[in-house]
Amino acid sequence: MKRLPAQTLHRGGGRSARRPSRVSICLAVALTLGVARRAAAADEVPAASAPPAQDPRVGTGGGLFESSQSAPASAQASPTADVASATPTFELNGYVRGDVFVGKVPRGSTAVTKAAYGELALKLKVKRQSHGDAYAEARLRYGDQEDAQPTSVLLREAYVNLYAGRLDLRLGQQIIVWGRADGVNPTNNLTPLDLRSRSPVEDDRRLGNVGARAFLTFAPIRLEGVWMPLYAATELPTSVVLPDGVSFGEQKRPTPKLKNALSAGRLHLELPAFEASASYLYGYAPLPGLSLQDFNAGRDYGIRIGRTPYKQQVIGADFSTAIADYLGLRGEAAYRIPANWRKNPYSARPDVQYVLGVDHTFGSLSAIAQYVGRYTFDWARQVEPSPSFDPSILGTFTDPLPSLAAESVTASINDVLAARNQILFAQTVRVQHAATLRLEWQALNQTLSLSALAMLNFTTKEWLLFPKLSYQISDGMSSTIGAEIYQGPRDTLLGLLEQERSAAYAELRFSF
């Protein structure tokens, strides 16, 4: 078994180099200022058992070990390697790609195009100078996109790194990912997701946010602090979240006051064969709940739902190590305490989530297997009224409704939203047991990659499967085919996603 160093740090990017097989599948415009090894890298690299780095030109593989490094960016680059000249050195690269997603019509059997788009990406890097560097990424996409405009421009990241002795500081738009588990990270409550995004690359769902991130190093101890003054919410597919006949009202966002900023701290222990951290976070949860804004009856009846953020505290810990240089071992757990959850029906209940996994490389085959558990405190099942409330009934009344009728309608809508919130927060049962398995097989000098991610929740009977086949056609061109398959009962999150999000896809990509 081959093993990664306990810490793979990079001065310019502050995150670990991701396996080249995890490169994005969308055609985007990415502008990157700074020495980040990968613009899409996340936050932790396991201490052992990861496969050897792949040719960086291969951009469409399965990307088995896609999690990123939480390190500051200061430990790997040579002190003089990038300071040879006082004149900034720029590096520009990127890619163009085209993607098509095909699935079934909801509650039907007819094939339909779920998404079809082209994306251009540019990455502009300013290599490290004596006291810092910078990084920015932007993406331009055009085409058929669910719940989005045909043309979208996204500034994914744009930040500056400052290095001052033991202190590393990053300021600007950035993606921060905590945790050492694979795919399921209970401690990661900093970065929102765009679950509307259709891409073969999991990392493409992450959204950047404006903030500051600092590291103070006293080897083998590192202190990390994060401060985010603005709130950014996880985006959800409208058709999945809302009951029929209901629309979103105005997005509720915390005002940009200092008291509403998110603050978090993390204490790292980094030894040659063992890494661990303990963390604390206080701020608004990335995934808001649903609450009733208003409704009206009569000919132009309608119900408007608001996405309402809530504050929470999260206490977490994680570790990664190796057993006799043969088996990688990783674990992660977090205790989440939403503020005023008894009074706020749009917030989650307190819970604890935990992950324990192993990873190993069998020649050209790499594998990560994990157990995932969750326990919800003060749990009570929320059930939608039977028969479910039909918004069209409001059209049979005049507006405004009589007080008694208005109270009855309000109660029925709140019951529906309480059940839907419980599904969104994955708290439909008190105790849950699940497992994940990620496999990646490489051949033909690592130009061919076959990978798959599977998850099964034994308690709720929901599951997903993401198979992917990628081939490097030439130095700059690659192709990928795969699928995203969701299954589950209708009262589960994957059950809601099943009809709308399950699809097969194909991608052709050119990197430069």
Side-chain angles (χ1 to χ4, degrees):
M1 183 193 73
K2 297 179 177 61
R3 177 181 171 192
L4 284 177
Q7 280 291 62
T8 306
L9 311 182
H10 191 273
R11 188 66 157 168
R15 292 179 292 176
S16 72
R18 223 161 64 179
R19 288 180 57 83
S21 58
R22 279 294 205 187
V23 178
S24 308
I25 308 251
C26 311
L27 296 169
V29 180
L31 295 167
T32 309
L33 304 167
V35 189
R37 288 207 213 173
R38 305 270 313 186
D43 225 12
E44 297 293 343
V45 168
S49 190
Q54 185 176 326
D55 184 345
R57 296 171 301 178
V58 180
T60 59
L64 180 63
F65 296 87
E66 187 179 11
S67 51
S68 63
Q69 182 75 6
S70 67
S74 56
Q76 179 167 326
S78 166
T80 60
D82 294 326
V83 197
S85 171
T87 303
T89 302
F90 297 91
E91 178 182 337
L92 178 65
N93 54 45
Y95 61 84
V96 178
R97 68 181 180 181
D99 291 75
V100 177
F101 285 73
V102 177
K104 294 192 304 182
V105 174
R107 292 168 291 279
S109 57
T110 304
V112 63
T113 300
K114 296 286 189 176
Y117 60 82
E119 189 172 81
L120 168 67
L122 298 174
K123 301 178 182 180
L124 177 62
K125 302 178 182 181
V126 180
K127 293 186 178 181
R128 179 177 178 263
Q129 303 300 297
S130 57
H131 294 291
D133 53 43
Y135 175 86
E137 176 184 349
R139 296 181 177 183
L140 172 65
R141 178 182 291 188
Y142 178 81
D144 182 14
Q145 305 176 62
E146 184 179 11
D147 293 335
Q149 296 296 322
T151 302
S152 63
V153 179
L154 173 66
L155 181 62
R156 198 163 188 249
E157 292 188 278
Y159 58 75
V160 175
N161 290 320
L162 170 67
Y163 311 120
R166 296 182 181 274
L167 175 65
D168 289 356
L169 175 64
R170 173 177 295 174
L171 187 64
Q173 176 91 348
Q174 54 191 294
I175 294 175
I176 302 175
V177 184
W178 280 3
R180 288 180 168 84
D182 175 60
V184 181
N185 300 110
T187 63
N188 181 34
N189 294 272
L190 295 163
T191 299
L193 303 174
D194 187 354
L195 299 179
R196 304 167 306 176
S197 175
R198 288 193 181 272
S199 172
V201 179
E202 296 165 37
D203 187 70
D204 282 352
R205 297 184 177 93
R206 292 181 178 132
L207 298 173
N209 196 10
V210 176
R213 186 184 194 186
F215 289 92
L216 194 59
T217 303
F218 301 96
I221 301 295
R222 275 193 308 122
L223 298 175
E224 177 184 359
V226 176
W227 180 71
M228 290 189 166
L230 304 180
Y231 178 74
T234 290
E235 299 294 341
L236 297 167
T238 302
S239 57
V240 172
V241 175
L242 295 179
D244 294 336
V246 181
S247 62
F248 277 129
E250 183 179 353
Q251 170 70 59
K252 295 184 178 180
R253 297 184 182 276
T255 55
K257 297 180 179 180
L258 289 180
K259 67 176 184 180
N260 290 332
L262 182 148
S263 301
R266 198 176 181 197
L267 176 64
H268 299 261
L269 172 64
E270 296 165 348
L271 301 174
F274 180 80
E275 296 180 2
S277 72
S279 59
Y280 174 80
L281 176 147
Y282 178 73
Y284 283 94
L287 179 59
L290 305 177
S291 64
L292 175 63
Q293 285 191 350
D294 58 49
F295 62 86
N296 58 280
R299 184 174 181 178
D300 298 323
Y301 72 90
I303 300 173
R304 282 156 294 281
I305 302 301
R307 302 185 67 219
T308 308
Y310 63 91
K311 282 189 173 182
Q312 64 178 1
Q313 299 180 73
V314 182
I315 303 170
D318 58 54
F319 77 93
S320 62
T321 187
I323 301 176
D325 286 340
Y326 178 79
L327 192 68
L329 181 65
R330 64 181 77 194
E332 187 173 344
Y335 175 38
R336 176 174 58 165
I337 314 167
N340 300 317
W341 62 271
R342 295 183 186 275
K343 296 180 180 179
N344 299 331
Y346 51 81
S347 71
R349 291 176 180 265
D351 64 8
V352 58
Q353 189 176 12
Y354 34 92
V355 183
L356 183 63
V358 295
D359 57 79
H360 182 65
T361 300
F362 307 87
S364 59
L365 175 65
S366 300
I368 303 176
Q370 298 182 141
Y371 163 76
V372 182
R374 183 193 295 267
Y375 180 85
T376 303
F377 299 90
D378 295 296
W379 181 84
R381 182 63 186 268
Q382 305 294 324
V383 181
E384 292 192 21
S386 182
S388 183
F389 177 75
D390 183 1
S392 65
I393 196 174
L394 294 172
T396 63
F397 295 92
T398 58
D399 194 50
L401 289 175
S403 58
L404 289 179
E407 291 178 4
S408 177
V409 169
T410 299
S412 296
I413 296 174
N414 284 334
D415 287 342
V416 173
L417 293 179
R420 195 59 57 96
N421 281 328
Q422 197 168 58
I423 293 174
L424 291 179
F425 298 138
Q427 295 183 335
T428 54
V429 293
R430 185 188 302 274
V431 182
Q432 298 183 49
H433 303 284
T436 69
L437 176 64
R438 192 189 294 268
L439 300 172
E440 182 178 17
W441 176 71
Q442 294 182 339
L444 303 179
N445 294 322
Q446 296 185 338
T447 60
L448 179 66
S449 171
L450 176 61
S451 65
L453 169 64
M455 190 280 291
L456 171 62
N457 190 315
F458 301 101
T459 308
T460 62
K461 310 303 181 185
E462 54 189 321
W463 58 271
L464 62 79
L465 177 63
F466 294 171
K468 183 192 302 185
L469 176 65
S470 302
Y471 179 66
Q472 191 72 26
I473 301 172
S474 64
D475 286 352
M477 181 169 288
S478 58
S479 61
T480 300
I481 58 173
E484 297 180 351
I485 305 170
Y486 303 88
Q487 291 286 333
R490 293 296 297 171
D491 60 347
T492 63
L493 181 57
L494 297 188
L496 294 177
L497 293 171
E498 174 184 341
Q499 295 289 329
E500 302 289 344
R501 306 296 295 178
S502 293
Y505 60 81
E507 178 198 81
L508 193 61
R509 180 174 187 267
F510 184 84
S511 300
F512 56 89

